[in-house]
Amino acid sequence: MTQGTRRFRQEDGARAGTYPGPVIKAVLWDVDDTLSDYTSADMQGVIRHFTAEGLPCDEAAYLRWRTVTDAAYARFSGGELTFVGQRRERARAYLGAQATDEEADAWFARYLVHDEACWTVFPDVVPVFAALAHRHAVLSNSNAALQERRLTALGLRHHFEFLACSDQTGHAKPAPAAFRHACAALGLPPAEVAYVGDRLDLDALGAEAAGLHGIWLDRTGPPTTPPPGVHRITTLARLPALLSAL
Ligand SMILES: [Mg+2]
């Protein structure tokens, strides 16, 4: 259906009192590296933390931190570790396996002080919420309390009706149940919901498989053609026009 055809039908419906509204009624959002610049904050925060702890903080040290983080987080998303458990796992990579829970928690708490001081929002985020009249909610493979804290600190929390986080729902992306749970909370069929996230696999392809409109926010990648059914944008400035065209 062309844009012109759809406009005609919507206007025709409005005259008859049956205007169906926009096709996309709500947007579900990833948080880390989509709304918040997680990678930059993590890098700056961990450099400050390693410096304070007397640990090496060169490129190799940061790459090891990323490897440790990704491995532990995958076990959290897979249900093998709790959110606190994955933090302890990361801390013990530096303290040693013999570290107690209290020692690991204290080490990670010191890291969080530096990490939170570096939290920042991408510059295209605030303008896109001003430009969209859609309903919004969050779907994140994370801890609800942490994401509440992060979005509040970034001045974004008021945009979202709710935060659906995997530690509370028990469903992690890319499982279709994660996306469908969030759509059910919105009271909308997946076909009327778009999902915006920075990961092609977890976010866009997962959303598409669950029947949503998967939108891959690829800010830094080289030009590429996305898989069938996935929409790729390189900045959120492109999102309003894309949502209007779907
Ligand atoms: Mg992300």
Side-chain angles (χ1 to χ4, degrees):
M1 184 186 298
T2 66
Q3 273 293 91
T5 304
R6 193 170 71 215
R7 272 198 297 274
F8 171 77
R9 289 188 176 178
Q10 288 177 343
E11 290 161 7
D12 194 46
R15 283 195 294 274
T18 58
Y19 176 59
V23 173
I24 305 297
K25 294 190 172 65
V27 183
L28 283 169
W29 294 85
D30 172 54
V31 175
D32 297 336
D33 282 330
T34 295
L35 301 173
S36 75
D37 189 352
Y38 173 88
T39 297
S40 294
D42 178 66
M43 183 182 298
Q44 293 167 28
V46 85
I47 287 172
R48 293 182 188 188
H49 178 54
F50 283 4
T51 301
E53 298 289 319
L55 293 168
C57 55
D58 54 11
E59 183 177 357
Y62 179 71
L63 291 176
R64 177 171 179 248
W65 167 252
R66 289 303 324 163
T67 300
V68 166
T69 296
D70 291 346
Y73 216 82
R75 294 174 65 194
F76 159 67
S77 294
E80 187 182 341
L81 291 174
T82 64
F83 191 74
V84 171
Q86 60 86 22
R87 286 181 166 180
R88 289 172 177 163
E89 189 86 353
R90 290 154 72 186
R92 286 193 173 99
Y94 295 90
L95 294 171
Q98 80 290 344
T100 65
D101 287 350
E102 290 73 20
E103 290 168 337
D105 291 345
W107 188 94
F108 207 90
R110 295 196 294 276
Y111 156 70
L112 287 178
V113 170
H114 298 296
D115 178 61
E116 291 193 22
C118 299
W119 283 354
T120 186
V121 63
F122 286 107
D124 56 356
V125 171
V126 171
V128 82
F129 283 105
L132 294 176
H134 299 70
R135 298 169 60 195
H136 300 285
V138 158
L139 172 58
S140 172
N141 284 2
S142 187
N143 169 268
L146 174 64
Q147 297 301 44
E148 287 275 1
R149 183 180 173 89
R150 190 191 310 273
L151 292 170
T152 299
L154 295 175
L156 300 174
R157 177 62 184 89
H158 64 286
H159 291 299
F160 306 108
E161 294 182 17
F162 60 83
L163 275 57
C165 293
S166 58
D167 73 316
Q168 287 191 336
T169 66
H171 303 298
K173 302 174 294 183
F179 296 94
R180 290 174 184 154
H181 176 277
C183 289
L186 286 165
L188 294 173
E192 295 182 0
V193 180
Y195 189 83
V196 181
D198 66 292
R199 290 280 299 268
L200 174 61
D201 51 356
L202 292 182
D203 297 329
L205 287 172
E208 190 69 19
L212 294 79
H213 300 265
I215 299 175
W216 176 28
L217 176 59
D218 185 20
R219 283 195 175 93
T220 57
T224 185
T225 301
V230 167
H231 307 275
R232 176 180 175 270
I233 54 176
T234 55
T235 166
L236 290 176
R238 299 290 178 89
L239 185 62
L242 173 60
L243 293 178
S244 296
L246 291 176

